[in-house]
Each structure stands twice: as C-alpha cells, then as structure tokens.
Amino acid sequence: MTDKHSHDDSSLNPFPIKKLDDLISPFLVPPGQRISLAKDYDPAYKAHYLKKSEAESELQKGIEALAKYQDMLYAQDTYALLIIFQAMDAAGKDSTIKHVMSGINPQGCQVHSFKVPAGEELDHDYLWRCSRALPERGEIGIFNRSNYEEILVTRVHPEILEQRQIPPNLIDKHIWQRRYEEINNFEKYLTSNGTIILKFFLNVSKEEQRKRFLERIELPEKNWKFSVNDARERTFWPDYMVAYEEMFNHTSTEWAPWYVIPADHKWFTRLVVAGIIYAQLKALNLNYPKVSEAKHQELLQAKEMLESQK
Ligand code: ATP
Ligand code: MG
C-alpha cells in the first residue's frame, strides 16, 4: 500500500539507447534557422546501424518504455500529446504509426487521417476539422496528415484554393505567410494550454518512393494502396520539396518543432520516431496522481473491509 502511495521511478523502463539525444538531435529543424532539405537531411541516413536486425530489439524495448509513459500520461490527465505526421506518398506514415504505437493502450490514443476535405469541412476555416480532432488531456492524438496540407498540396496546386468558398479578396500573394503565422499562433495557443506538439516529416527519397510504388503495383496485397494519381503527383516532386522547405523554415518553433526523419529505411524511421516521443514524454516529468491523506485512509479502510469479507 505505502509503496503505491508515492510513485517510484524504478518501475519505468529506460529507452534502450544510452545517448538518445545524440541519435535524435540531428533531425530537429532548429527554430529560427533556415535549413536546406536536400543538403541538410539525408533520406538514407541510418546512424551507426548497419542493418535492420541491429535496431529491432532496441525498437521493441523502446516501445515497451513508451507504453509505461503513456500509462502515466493518461493517469495524470494533465498534458495532451499531439503528434503530426506529414510526408510524400509511400514514405511510411501508416506503418510507422502502426509499429511505434503497437504497445500503446488504445484507450488513451486516437489516430486521425485527414483526406481531401469535403462537405461540412469545406464550410469552415481550414483549422476547423483538425481542432475538432485534438487529443484530450491524458491522451495521445496522432494526425496522419493535418492542417499542414493547406500549405503543401494547396501551395503546389493553387487551383485548389480557387475551388474553395474563400472570399476572393483573401486569396492574395501573402496567403502562405499568413497561414504560417496562423498555424504558429494556433500551436502556441495549444501548447500554452497543456498540449505538447511533435511534428514529423518522413523524408523518403524520390528513388525509394519509386521502388515502393512499383512494389505496390506488383504485390496483389499492396494494390489497394496505390492509385494512378500517386504516380501523377510524383511529377510535382520538386514543387513539394520547395513547399516543405518553406514550411520547415516558417513553422519549426520552440513550442512545436519539426523533425525531418530519414525514411528510406523504415526500421530506422521507427526507432527515431519512438526515441523522440519517449524523450518528450520523459521531459514532462510525469507522475501518477498522488492521493490525499484522507483518500489514503479511505483506501486502507476499504482494504480492511475487503480482507474481512468472503
Ligand atoms: P498513403 O501514403 O498510403 O497513400 P495518404 O495519407 O496519402 O496515404 P490518401 O487517401 O492516399 O492517404 O490521400 C489523402 C490525400 O488527401 C492526399 O493526397 C492529401 O494531399 C490530400 N489532402 C489531405 N488534406 C488535404 C487538404 N486540406 N486539402 C487538400 N488535399 C488534402
Ligand atoms: Mg496517398
């Protein structure tokens, strides 16, 4: 009884990588600095790991370590964690979410996939549908794509904006700058209210994407994942890279940083994403709620009662 009364850190598994900060820090987009996506971030990077098997047991233990922290996040019911994934097609968003969250209690976690907006979504401002899907305190919310599409796909295909019901005088050359500021302010507001935000860009190379598309065509069980439009969209690759780079340079902030994660080796992507989430949760100094002395006495009474009952 008494040892449960106050929380003891020894029940937490550590992440199985000693210098976790050294592994994850190269992927942070430093707020306030301009980065070059092509020069500063290599999609094929895999640190000192030579092959998948070397990282696998670390990932498994890392997932277990994450699960413990999620349990505390949920019990403490104070912070919400929002994790945003953005990427080109076939970069591995779905499988990263599936693997990294595999140890997580579904009760405290929700995944939202944002597709082309439709119906009611189009009748609102562009942050509306995302704000409705935000995680509650104690929860982890995962956005598979997000409001960032509004400065990515819409920037690459500006005709999308014209098809929306936005007042035409609001579509001018400053719209992207305004949207960066709107998103930064929105995220600032959320973090000032207890939502922690992590943003991951899974950085796959154009060649690796081509291989994965071909695999989706060749393997019948992967056919459903491919649409001809994916191959068409690929021809806009350079435009997307510009849009992403601009996005990093304007929206990686102290309060909601972007991480550019190498994504040509899926196992490495998963290890790094798990490591960053773990480091973030650890930094929150989470605790199981401590019960008051009065409540503690009540528990002792209930214990006595149960022990004397048949
Ligand atoms: P996969 O990587 O498996 O293809 P996905 O996330 O691309 O998964 P899809 O159903 O293929 O899922 O695509 C969702 C599509 O919705 C993307 O092409 C994306 O650009 C588009 N989309 C999402 N949000 C918006 C938005 N706000 N405006 C316009 N298009 C959007
Ligand atoms: Mg797609």
Side-chain angles (χ1 to χ4, degrees), residues 175-223:
I175 190 166
W176 310 120
Q177 185 60 38
R178 272 202 311 276
R179 287 189 168 190
Y180 297 139
E181 287 167 22
E182 286 156 3
I183 293 174
N184 286 344
N185 291 338
F186 174 62
E187 292 178 345
K188 178 93 190 176
Y189 165 76
L190 294 177
T191 53
S192 317
N193 282 276
T195 297
I196 310 297
I197 306 176
L198 290 174
K199 302 183 294 202
F200 295 119
F201 169 63
L202 305 192
N203 188 22
V204 74
S205 65
K206 197 175 175 201
E207 177 53 18
E208 179 63 22
Q209 188 202 50
R210 194 177 71 90
K211 285 189 198 148
R212 291 184 190 172
F213 277 170
L214 285 172
E215 196 184 68
R216 287 179 178 190
I217 294 168
E218 274 150 26
L219 301 178
E221 70 274 22
K222 291 201 172 176
N223 283 173

Side-chain angles (χ1 to χ4, degrees), residues 56-89:
E56 246 164 6
S57 77
E58 290 182 348
L59 177 64
Q60 210 39 53
K61 289 194 188 115
I63 287 170
E64 286 163 25
L66 262 185
K68 292 266 184 187
Y69 272 123
Q70 186 219 359
D71 198 48
M72 280 165 85
L73 183 83
Y74 188 77
Q76 185 172 313
D77 199 17
T78 302
Y79 294 104
L81 175 62
L82 172 63
I83 306 174
I84 297 177
F85 284 93
Q86 283 292 156
M88 297 298 283
D89 278 312

Side-chain angles (χ1 to χ4, degrees), residues 17-263:
I17 294 176
K18 285 220 175 63
K19 294 190 172 160
L20 184 58
D21 268 357
D22 291 355
L23 178 76
I24 64 187
S25 59
F27 313 121
L28 174 74
V29 177
Q33 282 178 38
R34 280 199 82 80
I35 57 105
S36 154
L37 189 52
K39 290 198 197 113
D40 301 334
Y41 299 91
D42 173 9
Y45 180 77
K46 49 187 165 78
H48 59 278
Y49 296 91
L50 296 175
K51 53 185 192 306
K52 183 177 176 176
S53 56
E54 283 180 41
E56 246 164 6
S57 77
E58 290 182 348
L59 177 64
Q60 210 39 53
K61 289 194 188 115
I63 287 170
E64 286 163 25
L66 262 185
K68 292 266 184 187
Y69 272 123
Q70 186 219 359
D71 198 48
M72 280 165 85
L73 183 83
Y74 188 77
Q76 185 172 313
D77 199 17
T78 302
Y79 294 104
L81 175 62
L82 172 63
I83 306 174
I84 297 177
F85 284 93
Q86 283 292 156
M88 297 298 283
D89 278 312
K93 286 184 280 99
D94 292 11
S95 70
T96 302
I97 294 168
K98 183 166 109 183
H99 279 84
V100 174
M101 296 297 150
S102 60
I104 295 284
N105 179 354
Q107 178 134 297
C109 181
Q110 284 199 26
V111 183
H112 293 270
S113 297
F114 293 98
K115 311 285 181 187
V116 179
E120 184 181 30
E121 295 173 341
L122 291 172
D123 282 333
H124 289 271
D125 60 276
Y126 71 94
L127 291 176
W128 181 77
R129 66 174 181 165
C130 293
S131 40
R132 293 178 93 204
L134 288 169
E136 295 176 13
R137 294 188 199 283
E139 281 190 357
I140 298 179
I142 296 172
F143 285 0
N144 185 346
R145 302 192 185 273
S146 64
N147 47 264
Y148 280 101
E149 289 291 325
E150 291 286 343
I151 48 169
L152 293 166
V153 66
T154 346
R155 189 162 181 171
V156 172
H157 302 284
E159 65 278 10
I160 294 178
L161 272 184
E162 271 131 46
Q163 292 151 13
R164 303 266 174 91
Q165 304 292 95
I166 306 171
N169 64 318
L170 297 180
I171 304 177
D172 58 19
K173 64 179 186 344
H174 303 296
I175 190 166
W176 310 120
Q177 185 60 38
R178 272 202 311 276
R179 287 189 168 190
Y180 297 139
E181 287 167 22
E182 286 156 3
I183 293 174
N184 286 344
N185 291 338
F186 174 62
E187 292 178 345
K188 178 93 190 176
Y189 165 76
L190 294 177
T191 53
S192 317
N193 282 276
T195 297
I196 310 297
I197 306 176
L198 290 174
K199 302 183 294 202
F200 295 119
F201 169 63
L202 305 192
N203 188 22
V204 74
S205 65
K206 197 175 175 201
E207 177 53 18
E208 179 63 22
Q209 188 202 50
R210 194 177 71 90
K211 285 189 198 148
R212 291 184 190 172
F213 277 170
L214 285 172
E215 196 184 68
R216 287 179 178 190
I217 294 168
E218 274 150 26
L219 301 178
E221 70 274 22
K222 291 201 172 176
N223 283 173
W224 66 275
K225 282 193 175 187
F226 188 77
S227 95
V228 180
N229 197 42
D230 290 349
R232 221 174 287 134
E233 213 45 26
R234 189 172 186 272
T235 62
F236 294 95
W237 187 280
D239 300 342
Y240 272 105
M241 292 305 111
V242 170
Y244 268 109
E245 199 169 271
E246 285 292 296
M247 179 189 81
F248 299 133
N249 286 326
H250 288 93
T251 64
S252 193
T253 55
E254 299 287 349
W255 56 92
W258 274 107
Y259 290 89
V260 175
I261 314 289

